[in-house]
Every structure is written in C-alpha cells, then in structure tokens.
Amino acid sequence: MPVTHTPVLVEETLAATVVNTGGSYLDATFGTGGHTRAILQQLDDDARVLAMDRDPEAVDCARELAEEDSRVTHAKGCFSDIKQVAQDHDFPQFDGILMDLGVSSAQLANSDRGFSFQSDGPLDMRMDPSAGMTAAEWLNTASFVELVSVFKRYGEERNARPIARAIANARPVQSTSQLVDVIQGGSRTVDRRKHVATRIFQAVRIRINDEINELRKGLRSAFELMAMNSRLAVITFHSLEHREVRRQFTEWTTKSVPHRMPVRGTNEGPLKTVVKGKRASRTEIESNIRARSAMLQVVERVR
C-alpha cells in the first residue's frame, strides 16, 4: 500500500483502550497499521496483538508487521469472522478491541478500487476485491425501487428518486467518473457543504460491502470476546455508523430493570461507558482533514 494512511484519534484511543500492557488486543481494521503500531509501543514484550482486515492489501501489510514484531499475528476476515478468526489463532479473549470504520486513504487513493469520486476508475468499491458483487454490477442490475431504497437508507440522499432514475436511464454505468456525471445530472438540489456524489458513493459502498450488518455482527462478536475490565473502542465516520454503535452500546450499558420496580440492589448492564462521543481536536483536523467527521466511542466490560 504505497499511500500512508494517517490514523485518527490515536492518543485518545490508546488512552481509553490499552488497560493491560501485557494483555491481548485486536485491531479488527488494520489498514496500514497506524493504530496497531501505536498500540504496540504501549505494550510489554509478552503482549499479543491480532491484526485483522478484510482487504487483502491490508492483510499483506499486517503480514509484514508480523514478520518484524513477534507479538503480532495477522489474519484476513470481516467483522462477522471475528470469533472464528480469534479461535483459529488462539485468542480466547481480548483486553482491548479496536474497530476503525470507513475507507482508508490508501483505498481512496487507488483509482482501481473505485471508492473515490475524485478520480476515474472502475466501479468496484469492494473492501475485498476477490469476493462479492462490484458496484457496477449492482448499479446495472438493481431495480429502481432498490436503488431508491439504498440511496435513502445508506446515503440519506434527498434526491434519491431522480438520481436513481438517471442511473437507470444511463445504464450501463461502468466508471466512477461516469457515475459522478449521472449523479450531477439527476440531482435537483445542491449541498454546498458536500460534493454532489458523496452520499451516493457512500450508499453504494455500504450496500456492496454490507457494512451495517457487518458492524452489528462485529460488535456482538467483540462483546463476547471481551475479558473482564477490557475495553471496546469504535471510531465511526458518518451518522449511520454513529447511531448504530451508540444504539448497541446503550443497550449494553443501560439498566434492564424498569424505573420504580420494587427490586433491591442494582441491575446495571454488562458494560459501562468510558468515552461517549469524542471528536478530534481542531489541531488534528487541521493536519488530517479525515479526522473532521471521526467520533470515538468506548465501553468497558464490568460484568
């Protein structure tokens, strides 16, 4: 991966997540390894880190780090694979788990991956280019109703219907630049804060990679692998991710006994909130624009 990806909220993540310097840790979204390398600097020689990603290029990068540092184990897998991957590599529990969502700078910079609307390339958008349907295949076969539904649900796009109609009329759509042109032609309103293609590209990417369902499965698997007093940290980048993580964390940290029930003692959830919604500092945003939309949420296992 020739492009360096600058991880966001590193100091805040480490402060909240590394609770046992001799423990076991999982980076479920290794990328180019920025967070993992920072975590390793805080750990003892007998600590262990499972560096995992669904992107084969990221796995290759993790393999290189594992060759340099014996504390690192690399593995390929989606969030839904976390439990099996942990079992396969003899990690019964973790003292800290990190999930840094979204697309990396390396993925965006490679026009062949199709994630960016700022450069021309094939409409792929798969996190794992060896599996599943490409963005072009889905856009050119999905019904009008499905296009509208995905654009609304995953992109929160107000112009979902006219854009879906424009795509259906322009088929086959094969490249990112062609898709951008079609979106521009179909959009009826302009948001000065965002590029006209931002929400559609986000929606298509989420649909192609099943990102919301993967996130749900990953959170549940991570919960089951948390040791006592361990931490689970998730960095999100848009409102759908923010809400999904917040919803699940609230479920795990909220009392299950209804208010005013005649029950003695406490009945707290199995987790407690450590970081509710930390945003990047102005200084970090100035040096790394990607940090502008990042939010860190962290919980701790207490039961």
Side-chain angles (χ1 to χ4, degrees):
M1 299 178 110
V3 176
T4 300
H5 172 78
T6 303
V8 302
L9 293 163
V10 174
E11 293 182 5
E12 296 85 349
T13 300
L14 264 63
T17 308
V18 181
V19 294
N20 176 6
T21 58
S24 297
Y25 291 83
L26 166 65
D27 185 346
T29 47
F30 180 81
T32 56
H35 281 112
T36 293
R37 288 183 172 86
I39 290 171
L40 287 167
Q41 292 178 5
Q42 303 291 320
L43 299 183
D44 299 335
D45 292 341
D46 60 345
R48 301 178 67 202
V49 176
L50 178 58
M52 174 179 161
D53 206 293
R54 68 191 296 185
D55 188 325
E57 293 185 2
V59 176
D60 288 341
C61 189
R63 181 183 296 107
E64 293 177 1
L65 180 60
E67 292 172 353
E68 300 170 6
D69 193 321
S70 61
R71 296 173 295 177
V72 177
T73 300
H74 71 278
K76 182 177 183 294
C78 304
F79 288 157
S80 56
D81 300 324
I82 285 176
K83 286 179 64 177
Q84 187 61 54
V85 170
Q87 179 180 331
D88 291 344
H89 293 279
D90 194 26
F91 282 85
Q93 288 184 315
F94 295 99
D95 296 284
I97 300 173
L98 170 63
M99 302 167 72
D100 178 9
L101 310 184
V103 185
S104 72
S105 301
Q107 290 170 326
L108 288 169
N110 185 349
S111 60
D112 289 340
R113 301 296 298 272
F115 289 111
S116 176
F117 49 74
Q118 296 180 335
S119 58
D120 190 31
L123 275 170
D124 193 315
M125 296 196 196
R126 292 173 297 174
M127 294 291 185
D128 181 356
S130 67
M133 178 183 290
T134 68
E137 289 170 338
W138 179 75
L139 286 166
N140 291 318
T141 57
S143 68
F144 172 75
V145 172
E146 185 180 1
L147 290 173
V148 173
S149 176
V150 168
F151 296 163
K152 285 183 177 180
R153 185 188 314 161
Y154 298 143
E156 300 177 305
E157 175 58 65
R158 291 174 294 178
N159 295 294
R161 293 184 68 84
I163 291 174
R165 179 64 63 194
I167 290 172
N169 292 335
R171 289 169 172 169
V173 181
Q174 301 291 358
S175 69
T176 54
S177 60
Q178 184 185 1
L179 179 57
V180 170
D181 290 341
V182 174
I183 294 169
Q184 290 175 328
S187 182
R188 294 176 179 173
T189 59
V190 177
D191 185 345
R192 297 181 182 276
R193 297 169 300 174
K194 291 182 181 290
H195 188 284
V196 67
T198 299
R199 292 187 176 91
I200 298 299
F201 269 66
Q202 172 184 298
V204 175
R205 191 200 79 222
I206 291 174
R207 165 61 179 79
I208 292 301
N209 296 288
D210 197 22
E211 291 181 28
I212 300 302
N213 285 328
E214 279 291 321
L215 175 58
R216 290 169 181 161
K217 294 174 183 177
L219 290 173
R220 290 193 292 268
S221 294
F223 170 74
E224 294 180 20
L225 291 169
M226 293 178 71
M228 188 59 63
N229 301 319
S230 65
R231 302 282 178 87
L232 168 59
V234 185
I235 301 173
T236 53
F237 288 89
H238 57 74
S239 58
L240 273 71
E241 295 173 343
H242 299 332
R243 290 197 296 266
E244 188 60 39
V245 174
R246 185 181 297 116
R247 180 199 63 78
Q248 184 60 82
F249 281 8
T250 299
E251 178 183 322
W252 285 331
T253 58
T254 304
K255 293 181 180 180
S256 60
V257 176
H259 185 53
R260 294 183 178 179
M261 283 288 288
V263 177
R264 290 182 176 275
T266 61
N267 187 27
E268 305 287 352
L271 307 183
K272 74 173 184 179
T273 300
V274 177
V275 177
K276 191 169 186 179
K278 179 68 175 180
R279 296 281 189 173
S281 67
R282 180 178 300 179
T283 301
E284 180 176 4
I285 293 172
E286 289 175 351
S287 62
N288 181 12
I289 191 63
R290 184 173 180 267
R292 178 177 55 187
S293 56
M295 177 188 289
L296 172 66
Q297 299 180 72
V298 185
V299 286
E300 178 182 344
R301 185 81 188 237
V302 293
R303 296 183 188 278

